[in-house]
Amino acid sequence: TKKRIGIWSAGWSSGEEPYSLAIILHEACLRDKSMSGTIYATDIDHEILSKAKQGVYEKNALENLSELQIKRHFTCLPDGTYEIKPHLRTNIRFLHHDLMKGAPVSRYLDIITCRNVTIYFTENQKSELLREFHGGLLPGGYYIMGLSEYMGKEGESFFRPYRVQQKIYTRI
């Protein structure tokens, strides 16, 4: 049977995170042909979404990638910037989404990343967001938060630690 991975990358600044996830997903699918997936890349800012859809980055944004990954997934443009190749774009759905609307972008997700976003939220907003993420994830699905963020007491009823140092939790 085909395993379909669902990933929600919520609230990022430049689109690098969804494309990084797309690289990981693509390389995993090359190793396991029975796997496929979709990344829901959401932000509230239309301008940021538009820029991310372009998928063009400076060389320094690629510093954590190997030369093979750069060759496989990017095209060097005449101005020295790098553009994401089409095979990565096919698995990403860029969507406008307000995290405070109370509904996940999709259900039955395997992974939700929302890093360095909740530092701007009130405690009540954080609790609402954790409920939203809990509702979007499959049991055992992963929630990844930013290193400067914390789960809080209410989150302990929705998630259990998986890799505490990296701020990775699993849905209960």
Side-chain angles (χ1 to χ4, degrees):
T1 61
K2 192 133 175 117
K3 171 67 175 155
R4 184 145 189 86
I5 306 294
I7 302 171
W8 179 11
S9 177
W12 28 263
S13 61
S14 63
E16 292 169 13
E17 180 174 272
Y19 288 120
S20 295
L21 291 167
I23 290 170
I24 294 167
L25 179 63
H26 178 80
E27 292 181 358
C29 291
L30 289 176
R31 288 190 299 278
D32 182 350
K33 301 291 185 203
S34 70
M35 189 185 314
S36 66
T38 301
I39 298 164
Y40 301 95
T42 66
D43 203 281
I44 195 169
D45 188 316
H46 289 285
E47 201 172 304
I48 285 175
L49 282 166
S50 178
K51 184 171 176 7
K53 284 178 189 176
Q54 293 172 17
V56 177
Y57 296 97
E58 299 293 330
K59 173 76 171 162
N60 65 349
L62 312 180
E63 66 188 6
N64 292 322
L65 299 176
S66 70
E67 284 303 314
L68 177 61
Q69 287 174 316
I70 293 170
K71 284 181 185 174
R72 183 181 289 161
H73 304 299
F74 294 85
T75 300
C76 184
L77 301 176
D79 66 359
T81 59
Y82 288 78
E83 182 177 28
I84 296 286
K85 288 186 177 178
H87 68 270
L88 288 184
R89 295 174 188 271
T90 59
N91 295 330
I92 302 177
R93 307 288 176 266
F94 286 101
L95 304 166
H96 178 264
H97 187 267
D98 182 348
L99 290 172
M100 290 292 90
K101 292 293 184 197
V105 72
S106 182
R107 301 259 183 223
Y108 313 111
L109 295 164
D110 298 282
I111 301 169
I112 295 176
T113 66
C114 184
R115 299 171 53 236
N116 304 318
V117 174
T118 65
I119 55 176
Y120 304 105
F121 291 4
T122 66
E123 291 305 312
N124 188 43
Q125 288 173 320
K126 288 177 189 179
S127 294
E128 289 175 28
L129 189 62
L130 288 175
R131 282 192 284 280
E132 181 179 334
F133 289 166
H134 184 266
L137 280 170
L138 288 166
Y142 297 95
Y143 167 45
I144 304 168
M145 63 188 334
L147 295 178
S148 62
E149 297 168 310
Y150 65 95
M151 179 62 68
K153 276 286 183 208
E154 183 159 354
E156 293 173 8
S157 62
F158 298 126
F159 300 96
R160 73 173 163 266
Y162 177 72
R163 296 277 189 268
V164 178
Q165 293 292 86
Q166 292 82 21
K167 301 290 184 128
I168 302 173
Y169 298 85
T170 56
R171 179 188 185 268
I172 296 174

